[in-house]
Amino acid sequence: MSVIKRAIVIPDQHFPIEDKKAVSVVLKAIKIVKPTLFINLGDVGEWASVSPWKWKRKKKPPVEYQLPIIDREIIEVNRRIDIFDEALDEVKCKKKIICAGNHDEWLDSFVGEHPYLSDYTFKEACGWKERGYKYYSFNHPVKIGKLTFIHGAYTTQYHAKKHLDSYGENIIYGHTHDIQRHTKTDLGGTKAAWSLGCLKDMSPQKNKWLRGRLHNWNHAFAIIDWFRGGNFKVEVNEIINGKTTVWGHEINA
């Protein structure tokens, strides 16, 4: 049973507050795995500059005041996307997919309020077409073989079960920032849902909105192999304190 396609899948990065060690691990894994497909599950940017909570209990300033702040964040996010694209170019990975996340769509909401600023949509601001990515809007299902990808729709305690029950197909998503799997078998066969964690800086200093609350977040990424007939194998690689192993290779950020 030969592999006909191999992908690396990354969950929420929240640039520019990514976990630098976790990102470094994934970049090194790309060079080892040499994927033929790269899938970004979204929340590429934190997009604090256009957060719906940024001006809560404050008077929103004129758009000409907001734009320089947004421009700076767009530059920072694009710089980090560049680093991933350089690693993918190095291993000649040409097929790339981006699934917009809910944070990413905050840019689109900003443009909805200011329709004359169409260059500020997530799709345009990050130049996904020019980068060679196939773009999918927030939670538009992307099906490859017998496996479906979305950013993520639910954050319940047992969100993997909720995703599997709701979508009824093998599905991989991010959004929740933690690692979880749920499997269900019936007479039609076995299906599963995987939550891939995140690549975000998980420290309290970068997530003050949590107000010290504990969370179940984890750093991880996935390697997926497809075989003939659409069958597949998912390998979730957890990153612990900037370290993981891939195929017997120890990766240390």
Side-chain angles (χ1 to χ4, degrees):
M1 187 165 63
S2 59
V3 175
I4 62 171
K5 186 182 300 182
R6 174 168 288 151
I8 279 187
V9 184
I10 64 170
D12 311 39
Q13 305 103 72
H14 291 268
F15 298 137
I17 56 170
E18 77 280 10
D19 186 277
K20 291 178 173 54
K21 289 184 177 180
V23 166
S24 176
V25 165
V26 177
L27 292 170
K28 291 180 179 181
I30 288 172
K31 296 178 182 181
I32 294 170
V33 174
K34 295 179 174 57
T36 56
L37 172 64
F38 178 72
I39 302 174
N40 189 325
L41 293 178
D43 276 4
V44 178
E46 175 69 10
W47 303 122
S49 60
V50 287
S51 166
W53 291 280
K54 181 174 178 62
W55 305 110
K56 188 177 181 180
R57 300 191 184 95
K58 299 176 185 176
K59 183 178 179 179
K60 186 181 291 187
V63 68
E64 57 268 26
Y65 174 88
Q66 299 176 57
L67 285 179
I69 302 171
I70 300 170
D71 287 338
R72 284 195 294 272
E73 189 167 18
I74 289 173
I75 290 169
E76 289 297 321
V77 171
N78 274 282
R79 281 177 53 197
R80 288 154 171 85
I81 300 171
D82 289 344
I83 295 171
F84 270 94
D85 283 348
E86 289 165 7
L88 294 166
D89 287 344
E90 187 176 330
V91 299
K92 297 179 172 55
C93 178
K94 301 299 182 183
K95 294 182 178 180
K96 300 181 285 188
I97 289 173
I98 172 65
C99 303
N102 55 300
H103 276 244
D104 302 321
E105 295 251 312
W106 291 350
L107 277 171
D108 295 2
S109 296
F110 172 77
V111 173
E113 295 177 7
H114 309 283
Y116 51 91
L117 295 173
S118 57
D119 288 346
Y120 283 82
T121 63
F122 176 57
K123 186 175 183 179
E124 296 299 324
C126 294
W128 294 113
K129 182 178 180 179
E130 293 75 14
R131 291 179 180 276
Y133 284 73
K134 191 165 184 180
Y135 180 92
Y136 292 90
S137 58
F138 178 48
N139 280 345
H140 184 292
V142 181
K143 190 166 185 177
I144 303 174
K146 296 179 180 179
L147 184 57
T148 298
F149 300 85
I150 62 169
H151 173 68
Y154 305 104
T155 57
T156 54
Q157 183 177 4
Y158 303 110
H159 47 81
K161 181 180 186 302
K162 178 65 174 177
H163 278 84
L164 184 57
D165 288 344
S166 296
Y167 286 86
E169 296 188 354
N170 295 303
I171 191 164
I172 288 184
Y173 60 97
H175 188 50
T176 65
H177 297 183
D178 72 341
I179 298 171
Q180 198 175 106
R181 173 177 174 165
H182 183 76
T183 304
K184 181 179 180 180
T185 302
D186 56 26
L187 292 178
T190 299
K191 294 178 181 178
W194 291 263
S195 173
L196 286 192
C198 68
L199 297 175
K200 183 182 183 181
D201 185 328
M202 302 187 297
S203 67
Q205 293 79 12
K206 295 293 184 179
N207 298 278
K208 293 181 180 178
W209 59 274
L210 285 172
R211 298 181 180 177
R213 290 174 296 186
L214 299 177
H215 56 68
N216 291 324
W217 298 355
N218 307 94
H219 292 141
F221 66 99
I223 302 169
I224 303 176
D225 288 341
W226 279 270
F227 311 99
R228 296 196 182 279
N231 296 316
F232 62 90
K233 177 180 75 72
V234 176
E235 179 183 342
V236 178
N237 291 79
E238 186 173 2
I239 303 168
I240 302 172
N241 296 326
K243 296 180 182 179
T244 194
T245 57
V246 172
W247 301 349
H249 298 272
E250 181 178 333
I251 302 179
N252 190 337

